[in-house]
Amino acid sequence: MNRDLMDNSTLDTLEAMLRTRTIEELAQQFQKAVGAIGEFYCLLANVNKFQPGAIRPTLSSYPKEWITHYIGNNYGKVDPLLPRAMQTTVGFEWNTCDAMMNKKEWALAADIYEIGVQDGFVLPIHGPGASVFFASFGQAGRTMPLRTQIALSMLTMQYHQRYQQLMAPKVIQPDILTTRERECLAWVANGRTTSEVADILNVNDNTIKFHLKNAQRKLECTNRVTTVIKALSLGLISI
């Protein structure tokens, strides 16, 4: 990476990742940013500290055949990168892991070498409980400059932050709906039509439609029925 790590271009990249609205868009931004740093095989995954072999990828640029081969051969059970990631909170290069000892470990090393990967860098991010976010970057070269490790770490931490935000369940605030919006939804939930609700509340039909549309938008629903169901499930209205 020839430019300063914290120049405007870098900050623009980090901001673009933070502004993504979907997991797919986030993955595209991340892979684009990694590609601007260099050529890497990238694997991002969630790992349980007590089940290090049970790796759950969230993003991978490895050939699909390789991932299938890795999982099919249970390489997660012998991959030296995983136990090391469980034991440290800082990034490390692949070549600093313990030497491989058994045939299965040597088979993994030979297979990864066949696809042109000689070394790499891992950044583990330890979350709450037993969860560890595992980011691994494989490369053809035998050494990785420190500045490259820093850049990959920055991108990974931003990816992880936004990924957690996008995956977190949305919290609906109790006051997200106005009193009149909840009132209209409650009458609809009790089987009343728009005209009947308008008569009950002594307003015209368009006013009721306006309040119901606002409630639908706020609860991110596609129609009146799903809006009522969601409002009931969240305890915003009752029958």
Side-chain angles (χ1 to χ4, degrees):
M1 199 174 192
N2 296 324
R3 60 179 181 270
D4 290 338
L5 291 175
M6 293 303 291
D7 65 9
N8 288 336
S9 179
T10 303
L11 292 175
D12 287 345
T13 298
L14 297 175
E15 182 179 354
M17 290 173 60
L18 191 58
R19 291 183 180 277
T20 54
R21 296 179 178 274
T22 65
I23 296 296
E24 293 74 19
E25 185 183 348
L26 175 61
Q28 291 174 359
Q29 286 284 353
F30 179 79
Q31 290 180 305
K32 178 182 177 182
V34 170
I37 297 173
E39 294 184 6
F40 304 97
Y41 279 127
C42 171
L43 175 67
L44 305 183
N46 292 305
V47 184
N48 188 298
K49 290 180 183 179
F50 304 112
Q51 297 176 310
I55 186 167
R56 301 185 302 280
T58 63
L59 183 154
S60 172
S61 62
Y62 280 91
K64 291 182 179 180
E65 297 78 10
W66 165 250
I67 297 297
T68 301
H69 180 70
Y70 182 99
I71 295 174
N73 283 277
N74 289 319
Y75 278 155
K77 298 290 185 181
V78 298
D79 192 335
L81 302 179
L82 294 175
R84 175 72 180 276
M86 300 303 104
Q87 298 165 8
T88 183
T89 57
V90 298
F92 59 90
E93 293 182 77
W94 291 11
N95 59 31
T96 61
C97 290
D98 295 335
M100 296 183 176
M101 301 296 292
N102 62 44
K103 291 182 179 180
K104 194 79 171 180
E105 291 171 339
W106 279 111
L108 168 59
D111 286 348
I112 195 72
Y113 187 82
E114 270 192 24
I115 64 172
V117 176
Q118 297 189 45
D119 201 3
F121 174 72
V122 170
L123 180 70
I125 301 177
H126 292 249
S131 65
V132 177
F133 184 78
F134 176 86
S136 179
F137 303 89
Q139 63 174 21
R142 290 188 177 277
T143 60
M144 182 181 292
L146 179 60
R147 288 170 66 86
T148 299
Q149 296 179 29
I150 294 171
L152 291 174
S153 296
M154 290 170 58
L155 291 174
T156 299
M157 287 187 285
Q158 187 71 304
Y159 173 94
H160 179 256
Q161 176 185 344
R162 188 56 181 154
Y163 181 85
Q164 294 297 107
Q165 291 172 342
L166 291 172
M167 291 298 290
K170 292 185 178 180
V171 178
I172 303 297
Q173 299 298 327
D175 58 350
I176 189 172
L177 300 181
T178 65
T179 300
R180 183 48 61 96
E181 288 164 356
R182 292 198 303 271
E183 199 172 14
C184 291
L185 281 176
W187 282 116
V188 171
N190 280 279
R192 302 297 181 121
T193 65
T194 299
S195 296
E196 289 173 337
V197 177
D199 290 340
I200 293 171
L201 299 180
N202 197 29
V203 295
N204 60 49
D205 288 11
N206 287 334
T207 299
I208 300 303
K209 291 177 182 178
F210 171 79
H211 290 306
L212 291 174
K213 273 292 183 183
N214 277 342
Q216 179 178 317
R217 174 181 53 80
K218 290 178 180 179
L219 296 182
E220 299 180 346
C221 295
T222 57
N223 54 54
R224 185 178 297 189
V225 174
T226 56
T227 304
V228 168
I229 292 173
K230 189 167 186 177
L232 286 168
S233 67
L234 293 171
L236 298 177
I237 62 172
S238 58
I239 297 178

